Amino acid sequence: MNLLASLRYLVALHEHRHFGRAAQACHITQPALSNALRSLEEEFGVVIVQRGRAYVGLTHEGQAVLTTAQRMLRESEVLRQELSSLQDMPRGCLRMASTPTAVPVLARFAALLQARHPGIASVVLSMSSLELEQGLEDLSIDLAVGYSERMQAQRANLRSWPQCTERYYLLRRAAEPALDHLRIGPPMAWREAGQLPLCLLTAEMHNRFIIDQALGEAGAPVVPAIETNSVLTLVLSVAAGQVCSILPSAMVAAVRSERGLEALPLVEPDVRTPIGFMTQRGPRTSRALEAALALLESPSGKRS
């Protein structure tokens, strides 16, 4: 039995919560994955996976094996990067994720990192705040971009690098297309924005919590006309129809080329939310993560 491979299959099963999807993610057949997990159970003499007609979950003993598996795979990757990297040329995989509305911040950083260190293969993901917190905790994510105040309150053992402060804009179709890029219009009160048909992110997203809180404070609780978990859908829905949306400044900057749209700063209340990079304090740092943190602390990696 290949122990590390079997542990990797267990982690994949935990992440996908489905035997077939976990097998596909590992590029093996479902029977091969199931046989490897049974061999793992025989090796440790415990039942790891609760089995029914479909995946049910892990047993108490399985959770203990999973925690060890996550740490062993992390240490294996750290060692692999140590052995394959030269002194000034780090190599290896770096898994990074951000909340959907902060994707432009992470995309910019990933491009800067790739230009400086071509040997680092970055995986850039979009996740909810809850998924980011879980990913940092179980070591499936090396570096996260999200709502730093929320995440530090949830997980005290995080290192944080402030990056920017989100302000919020109403995005709507312009009466006439601008000559060169998206027009920034006059300020609009949140209460007025709440009277419009809105396309917003779904309720599990922290961005939606911030927007609902601001609209509630302004006395304009809203039932969205459209809900989505995709920021691209927010923009396309505004461009294609009669709805408006509420976007943070990073996303507004990302759609500046949309001449047919305009963005109005939202006021009363004045809502500002800190965004930052975060990583776990405890685990040994891989060469790829070391390089990413060095870039974060350099002038070119900082963003006001």
Side-chain angles (χ1 to χ4, degrees), residues 83-295:
L83 296 176
S84 64
S85 299
L86 300 177
Q87 181 63 32
D88 57 348
M89 295 179 61
R91 296 181 180 277
C93 180
L94 184 71
R95 290 177 62 85
M96 301 185 288
S98 79
T99 54
T101 54
V103 165
V105 176
L106 183 56
R108 169 185 175 272
F109 179 78
L112 289 174
L113 183 64
Q114 195 281 328
R116 180 173 292 191
H117 300 291
I120 296 177
S122 295
V123 178
V124 178
L125 305 170
S126 174
M127 296 182 173
S128 69
S129 292
L130 186 60
E131 290 171 329
L132 285 183
E133 292 158 10
Q134 184 61 47
L136 287 173
E137 183 174 327
D138 64 24
L139 307 179
S140 61
I141 299 172
D142 298 299
L143 193 61
V145 183
Y147 299 99
S148 46
E149 290 182 347
R150 169 199 160 105
M151 293 180 68
Q152 286 174 323
Q154 297 287 335
R155 302 285 186 272
N157 61 336
L158 294 180
R159 296 174 63 193
S160 178
W161 291 262
Q163 201 60 195
C164 61
T165 300
E166 278 191 352
R167 299 186 65 185
Y168 298 87
Y169 293 76
L170 180 93
L171 187 73
R172 68 183 183 187
R173 293 178 69 179
E176 295 182 2
L179 294 177
D180 48 4
H181 54 71
L182 174 146
R183 180 187 296 112
I184 301 297
M188 173 184 282
W190 280 88
R191 183 179 182 85
E192 185 179 350
Q195 308 305 314
L196 301 170
L198 293 174
C199 178
L200 300 177
L201 289 178
T202 46
E204 74 275 9
M205 300 292 186
H206 191 64
N207 167 269
R208 174 64 182 280
F209 170 79
I210 293 169
I211 290 172
D212 283 353
Q213 191 173 49
L215 289 170
E217 184 178 338
V222 66
V223 176
I226 302 174
E227 292 183 286
T228 178
N229 64 353
S230 162
V231 290
L232 179 60
T233 301
L234 296 179
V235 177
L236 293 178
S237 296
V238 174
Q242 300 301 314
V243 296
C244 304
S245 190
I246 296 175
L247 294 180
S249 45
M251 285 303 306
V252 171
V255 298
R256 279 177 56 85
S257 61
E258 295 291 334
R259 298 186 302 111
L261 302 179
E262 67 175 350
L264 286 65
L266 289 170
V267 296
E268 301 175 11
D270 182 20
V271 182
R272 303 180 184 224
T273 311
I275 299 294
F277 281 84
M278 284 154 282
T279 189
Q280 285 276 36
R281 287 185 182 276
R284 190 157 62 102
T285 306
S286 68
R287 288 293 303 278
L289 182 55
E290 283 179 359
L293 299 185
L295 176 59

Side-chain angles (χ1 to χ4, degrees), residues 9-72:
Y9 302 157
L10 175 63
V11 170
L13 180 61
H14 169 69
E15 290 178 353
H16 295 278
R17 301 184 183 279
H18 186 277
F19 287 100
R21 289 194 292 269
Q24 288 179 341
C26 296
H27 307 291
I28 60 173
T29 65
Q30 184 172 331
L33 181 136
S34 296
N35 290 336
L37 294 177
R38 287 194 177 91
S39 296
L40 201 59
E41 291 175 325
E42 292 173 3
E43 175 72 19
F44 293 113
V46 296
V47 176
I48 293 174
V49 180
Q50 298 182 52
R51 292 177 174 85
R53 297 188 65 180
Y55 174 73
V56 177
L58 300 181
T59 63
H60 176 74
E61 293 80 6
Q63 288 289 345
V65 175
L66 173 68
T67 300
T68 300
Q70 290 164 336
R71 297 195 176 278
M72 286 181 66

